Amino acid sequence: MTNIRAAITGVHAYVPDYVLTNAELEKMVDTNDEWIVSRTGIRERRILKGEGLASSDMGAEAVKGLLAKTGTSPEEIELVICATATPDMMFPDTANLIAYKTGIKNAFTFDLGAACSSFLFSVATGAKYIESGMYKKVVIVGADKMSSIVDYTDRATCILFGDAAGAVLLEPSKDGNGIMDAILKSDGIGAEHLYQRAGGSLKPASHETVDAKEHFIFQNGRPVYKAAVAGMSSVVKEMMKRHGLSADDIAWVVPHQANLRIIESVASMADFPMEKVMVNIHRYGNTTSATLPLCLWEWENQLKKGDNLILTAFGGGYTWGAIWVKWAI
Ligand code: UT7
C-alpha cells in the first residue's frame, strides 16, 4: 500500500428526455399510481427512445460532460470502468465503446457487472488503481438502459426501472479527502430471486427463450427487499463502527434507489434522519448502475469539501456494500 488516496474530483450524469409516468403505466398494465407511490415512492422514470441508442450512448454523454466540466482532455484518461447490467452487447465491453465515442484513446477499459452494486464496486476498484500509483485519471461510468430488459406486460417489474447514466472522475487526492474505506460483499444465494435467465452461456438465445420471456428481468420482490434492508443497514453500521463515526459526523447517506421504503428502513436502522439521505427515486425509479452518480450529480451544489458521505448499494447476486467518502470538490 502507498499513502496515495483516490478522490472523486468530478461528477456528471445524463438522463434521457422521455418521461414515463405512473399514469402512462396505468394504461399498459393492471396497476395504479397509488400502489406504485405507496409501495416504491416512484412517480416517473426516464426512458431512452430512439433507434440504435444503447447504454453506451448515455454513458458517453455523461463522460463528455464530466470531461468538459473538469477540464480534462480525453487523451489524459488512463482507465475507464463501465458499471452496467445492460451492456450494448455481450462483447466488446461497453466501457470500450464509451471510450471510443468520447475520444478516450490512451485508456485500458473494462466492464464491471455486479447488478445494482456495479457502480459502488467500480468506484472501489478504480480507487485501487490510483492508490497503487499506477494511474492518475480514472473514469467510472454507470450506464443502464433498463428498458431494454424490462417486460412492459409484467407489472411486478415494469414500474420499477428507468434509464440513465452517471460518471465520476477519480484522481489522487491533494488534501487527504477522498475514498476512505470500502466494505464490499457478495452472496450467490440471491441468484434465484433476481436474474435475467437467457442470453448467456446457460441459456443462449433461442425461439424458446424468447417465447418464455427469459430475456427480461425477473424479480421475486419480497426476499430481495428483506435482503436489501439487512445488507445495506449492516454494512453502513459496520463502516461507522469501524471508524468510530456517529450519524452526526455524516453529512449525507447516498443509497441505491430501488425502493423508498428500503431507503427509509436502512436510514432508520442506522439512525439517520431522512433529511440527511439523498432520495430522487420519485423522478427516476431504479436506474441500476446510475443511481449513485445521479444522486451525487443532483446534490453536488449542496456538498462541501470535507463532508463525510456514506454510499451504499444492494443488487442482484446478491451484491452489496458501503463506501465512506470525504468529499474532495
Ligand atoms: O435494485 C436491486 C434490488 N431490488 C430491490 O431492492 C427491490 C426489492 N423489492 C421491492 O422493492 C418490493 O418487493 C416490490 C416493490 C418489488 C414489490 O413490493 P411488495 O410490497 O413486496 O409487493 P408484493 O410483490 O408482495 O405484492 C403485493 C401485491 C400482490 O398482490 P396479492 O398477491 O397480494 O393479491 C401483487 O400481485 O401487490 C400486487 N402487485 C401490484 N399491484 C399493483 C405487484 N405489482 C403491482 C403493481 N400494481 N405494479
Side-chain angles (χ1 to χ4, degrees):
M1 277 294 289
T2 65
N3 292 323
I4 304 169
R5 176 166 288 149
I8 295 173
T9 56
V11 58
H12 199 68
Y14 170 83
V15 293
D17 292 334
Y18 188 86
V19 178
L20 176 60
T21 62
N22 289 352
E24 198 176 339
L25 283 165
E26 283 179 6
K27 295 180 201 143
M28 296 159 67
V29 286
D30 179 16
T31 191
N32 58 79
D33 179 63
E34 195 280 327
W35 191 97
I36 301 172
V37 173
S38 63
R39 299 282 180 134
T40 71
I42 302 167
R43 295 183 183 275
E44 57 188 43
R45 61 295 282 146
R46 301 299 181 101
I47 303 295
L48 183 66
K49 297 268 188 185
E51 197 65 30
L53 294 177
S55 295
S56 71
D57 296 290
M58 295 189 294
E61 288 303 316
V63 171
K64 276 186 217 162
L66 177 73
L67 297 179
K69 204 166 158 180
T70 55
T72 310
S73 110
E75 285 85 7
E76 292 177 85
I77 302 301
E78 298 162 290
L79 167 62
V80 179
I81 305 177
C82 179
T84 187
T86 52
D88 288 24
M89 298 176 255
M90 292 294 279
F91 65 88
D93 274 9
T94 302
N96 208 41
L97 302 171
I98 291 173
Y100 184 69
K101 288 177 182 181
T102 53
I104 295 175
K105 296 184 176 119
N106 300 317
F108 140 64
T109 63
F110 65 91
D111 287 1
L112 194 155
C116 292
S117 304
S118 303
F119 187 82
L120 193 88
F121 284 18
S122 297
V123 168
T125 303
K128 295 295 161 200
Y129 287 86
I130 303 275
E131 290 167 11
S132 67
M134 188 170 177
Y135 294 137
K136 291 195 169 54
K137 289 190 193 289
V138 171
V139 166
I140 310 297
V141 49
D144 268 308
K145 184 182 170 186
M146 294 307 292
S147 61
S148 66
I149 58 165
V150 164
D151 174 3
Y152 285 97
T153 65
D154 174 16
R155 69 177 185 173
T157 52
C158 74
I159 55 127
L160 298 171
F161 296 97
D163 302 338
V168 296
L169 181 64
L170 299 180
E171 295 182 272
S173 170
K174 293 187 174 70
D175 55 11
N177 290 319
I179 293 155
M180 311 300 286
D181 195 10
I183 299 172
L184 309 171
K185 309 263 185 185
S186 300
D187 184 349
I189 198 157
E192 64 180 295
H193 297 304
L194 183 48
Y195 55 78
Q196 180 190 344
R197 182 70 84 205
S201 57
L202 176 68
K203 278 201 168 188
S206 66
H207 288 294
E208 288 71 29
T209 61
V210 172
D211 290 344
K213 297 186 168 189
E214 289 180 323
H215 295 272
F216 292 126
I217 193 166
F218 170 85
Q219 177 170 246
N220 186 7
R222 283 279 168 92
V224 180
Y225 185 106
K226 284 184 194 154
V229 171
M232 285 192 283
S233 61
S234 84
V235 284
V236 169
K237 286 195 280 188
E238 186 183 339
M239 181 67 82
M240 294 175 67
K241 190 170 173 213
R242 186 186 278 184
H243 298 283
L245 295 165
S246 74
D248 290 342
D249 298 319
I250 306 298
W252 292 99
V253 178
V254 192
H256 173 53
Q257 313 278 309
N259 187 321
L260 179 60
R261 289 184 297 143
I262 293 177
I263 296 170
E264 288 172 343
S265 295
V266 171
S268 149
M269 287 168 85
D271 276 337
F272 283 106
M274 281 304 287
E275 296 74 53
K276 285 188 174 196
V277 182
M278 294 187 191
V279 177
N280 59 13
I281 190 171
H282 50 293
R283 285 187 294 127
Y284 303 121
N286 183 350
T287 58
T288 303
S289 306
T291 60
L292 298 182
L294 210 46
C295 281
L296 293 175
W297 177 59
E298 291 210 321
W299 265 262
E300 192 182 9
N301 291 337
Q302 295 180 56
L303 299 177
K304 297 188 294 294
K305 198 180 243 249
D307 274 354
N308 286 310
L309 273 56
I310 302 272
L311 280 58
T312 185
F314 185 92
Y318 298 128
T319 54
W320 71 105
I323 295 183
W324 170 28
V325 172
K326 273 187 174 289
W327 196 244
I329 305 172

